[in-house]
Each structure stands twice: as structure tokens, then as C-alpha cells.
């Protein structure tokens, strides 16, 4: 009988959005336990080998990590299976690369290149706010941070701007109508738009309606949206396409115009 957690992950069971080839091997890197869930993260090994092509094999990924070349959210990570997730900053000092992990409109992780100023902060969604046994107010974020003595205005579903160097929060972006949000889960993952409506269903899932800049509106669960700014001003630069989903006919027309078909 197997005791304890599984230590291996087969390629066919790896999350689809990692885009691993079906026939290129049997195994996939199994993410370590960390701040992001196993199915909602991108291990460092995949960033180095499949995305950036800085390594050809898992062994090379391990060597790069053990040489302390990879920083995630400002901390050196020597575990090649460390789970990086949404909004994390990945820094490779030797090559001068800095990326933020965001989603494209198909719900896949994108390594979005950012400058040094933007790499100094990240946005964190507040998952819960409570008071500890010793009467310390705390806010817990989507990436497992515990912010002690947060601003009393912080509510669940809001987003706060966190300095990576100090771990302190500065600005608050409230979850309110007109806020700019990115969808982080579900069928619409990666789409960006403005909050236009919230339907509360007690005992079930609250549903929000989001409208993108092209006027298309769609609905998703409240837990799937992540406030990234107010009005039309995102606090992080957005990847190519700016979170506007195209249908297959528009994609085909654009591919024809580029001469790809």
C-alpha cells in the first residue's frame, strides 16, 4: 500500500496548460509543495526547459537552479520543481531577464517580460482576513503570504500591491464595480475587462459579469476574478493581446493577413 504523497507525475496527467509534448517522455516535473496549487502553477524546470530553452534536460535545470541563478519573487530558489504561479516575478540575473507570470486568453501561463521597476512589486489577492488568537489582525493572500496588521480597509477579494523586497503592502485596489479584473480560472481564464455586475447567491457561488474593452461581456464565478487595477489603468503591464479574447474566425483572418496560412 502506498503511504504518503505521490512523488512522481506522469506527462499525461500533467496540467494541459504546461503544453508538454505527449510523446517526448514519460515523466513530467512534479511541483513541490509551495505557495501555488499543483494544477495552477508552473514549475521552474518547465520555465527553464520548455519556455526559455536555457536547458535541454532536467539535469541541466537542476544545475542552473543549484548555481543560484533563479530568483522567484526576489528569493533564490534552488528547487527546480518549485511552483511559480500567477503574478510571480521570475528573475535570472545572469542573463538580465525578468518576467511576470500572467495568463494569455487561452488560459496558459505567459512569461511576460518586465523592466526592473515593475519587478519590484506584485499584486496579491486577499483570500481571507481574520484576527489571530493573540489579537493580531492578518490578511492571507493568494500566494500564501500572511500580511500582519494590514490596512483596516482591506476586504476579501480586494487586491493589494506588495513590495517584493520588504513584503509590505502599499496600495489597495477594491473589488467594486468598474474595477479592472483578470480572470484566473475557468473557461475565460486570461481575459481582462471591467466588473459590471455581481450576483450574490448565498450558499452557492456568487457570479460576476465582466465586460472587455471590445464590449464583449461574459460571466464567471467571483472566486475566479483578480482585480488588477481601477478603471482602465492596470497596475501591471499586460501580455500581447491585452486580455481580449478573439474568436476562431478573427484568429484565422489575422493569420491569413500575416501570411501564416
Amino acid at each position: 500500500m502506498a503511504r504518503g504523497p505521490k512523488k512522481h507525475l506522469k506527462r499525461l496527467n500533467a496540467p494541459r496548460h504546461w503544453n508538454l509534448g505527449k510523446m517526448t517522455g514519460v515523466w513530467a516535473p512534479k511541483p513541490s509543495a509551495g505557495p501555488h496549487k499543483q494544477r495552477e502553477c508552473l514549475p521552474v524546470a518547465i520555465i527553464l526547459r520548455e519556455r526559455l530553452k536555457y536547458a535541454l534536460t532536467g539535469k541541466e535545470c537542476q544545475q542552473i537552479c543549484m548555481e543560484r541563478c533563479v530568483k522567484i519573487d526576489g528569493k533564490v530558489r534552488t528547487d527546480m520543481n518549485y511552483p511559480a504561479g500567477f503574478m510571480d516575478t521570475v528573475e535570472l540575473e545572469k542573463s538580465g531577464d525578468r518576467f511576470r507570470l500572467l495568463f494569455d486568453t487561452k488560459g496558459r501561463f505567459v512569461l511576460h517580460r518586465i523592466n526592473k521597476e515593475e519587478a519590484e512589486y506584485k499584486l496579491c489577492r486577499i483570500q481571507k482576513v481574520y484576527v489571530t488568537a493573540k489579537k493580531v489582525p492578518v490578511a492571507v493572500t493568494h500566494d500564501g503570504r500572511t500580511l500582519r496588521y494590514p490596512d483596516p480597509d482591506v476586504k476579501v477579494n480586494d487586491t493589494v500591491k506588495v513590495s517584493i523586497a520588504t513584503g509590505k503592502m502599499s496600495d489597495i485596489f477594491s473589488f467594486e464595480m468598474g474595477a479592472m479584473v483578470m480572470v484566473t480560472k475557468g473557461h475565460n481564464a486570461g481575459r481582462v475587462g471591467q466588473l459590471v455586475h455581481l450576483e450574490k447567491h448565498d450558499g452557492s457561488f456568487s457570479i460576476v459579469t465582466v465586460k472587455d474593452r471590445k464590449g464583449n461581456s461574459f460571466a464567471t464565478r467571483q472566486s475566479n476574478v483578480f482585480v488588477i487595477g481601477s478603471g482602465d489603468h492596470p497596475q501591471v503591464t499586460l501580455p500581447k493581446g491585452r486580455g481580449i479574447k478573439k474568436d476562431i474566425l478573427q484568429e484565422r483572418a489575422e493569420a491569413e493577413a500575416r501570411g501564416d496560412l
Side-chain angles (χ1 to χ4, degrees), residues 52-234:
L52 298 176
K53 308 280 196 285
Y54 283 158
L56 293 174
T57 59
K59 184 74 178 165
E60 288 179 9
C61 296
Q62 194 176 9
Q63 286 167 336
I64 292 172
C65 290
M66 293 311 282
E67 285 174 7
R68 305 179 73 78
C69 296
V70 183
K71 278 186 176 179
I72 293 186
D73 283 347
K75 280 205 173 111
V76 172
R77 297 291 176 189
T78 55
D79 174 13
M80 69 172 192
N81 294 326
Y82 181 84
F86 183 63
M87 279 289 165
D88 287 2
T89 61
V90 179
E91 190 173 347
L92 303 164
E93 280 183 345
K94 279 192 175 171
S95 59
D97 289 331
R98 290 180 198 82
F99 303 100
R100 190 185 299 285
L101 277 175
L102 297 170
F103 289 114
D104 67 4
T105 49
K106 291 187 172 9
R108 301 174 300 208
F109 274 116
V110 160
L111 283 167
H112 177 59
R113 201 175 281 276
I114 53 176
N115 57 24
K116 195 173 180 195
E117 288 69 47
E118 202 188 325
E120 286 169 3
Y121 65 85
K122 69 182 292 192
L123 300 182
C124 294
R125 183 177 194 268
I126 301 293
Q127 300 291 61
K128 57 182 175 185
V129 179
Y130 64 100
V131 179
T132 63
K134 295 197 173 168
K135 302 285 180 286
V136 177
V138 206
V140 180
T141 65
H142 80 286
D143 58 347
R145 289 166 190 261
T146 304
L147 305 173
R148 300 182 59 177
Y149 301 106
D151 189 306
D153 298 338
V154 165
K155 304 275 184 295
V156 175
N157 299 324
D158 289 355
T159 293
V160 293
K161 194 171 179 176
V162 172
S163 158
I164 281 173
T166 61
K168 299 275 191 294
M169 55 173 278
S170 51
D171 305 351
I172 305 173
F173 304 100
S174 300
F175 182 87
E176 59 193 7
M177 294 308 112
M180 192 173 195
V181 298
M182 187 177 223
V183 183
T184 56
K185 280 188 206 165
H187 192 66
N188 291 308
R191 294 181 76 171
V192 173
Q194 275 193 324
L195 268 184
V196 289
H197 187 56
L198 168 64
E199 281 176 45
K200 286 198 171 153
H201 299 292
D202 292 333
S204 182
F205 300 103
S206 297
I207 301 291
V208 295
T209 308
V210 182
K211 192 173 191 180
D212 69 13
R213 293 173 76 181
K214 289 274 193 293
N216 308 317
S217 57
F218 54 96
T220 185
R221 288 181 183 175
Q222 183 178 0
S223 56
N224 293 353
V225 298
F226 189 114
V227 179
I228 55 169
S230 49
D232 206 12
H233 306 291

Side-chain angles (χ1 to χ4, degrees), residues 251-261:
E251 280 184 4
R252 182 185 163 82
E254 287 184 10
E256 279 179 343
R258 286 197 305 268
D260 290 351
L261 291 180

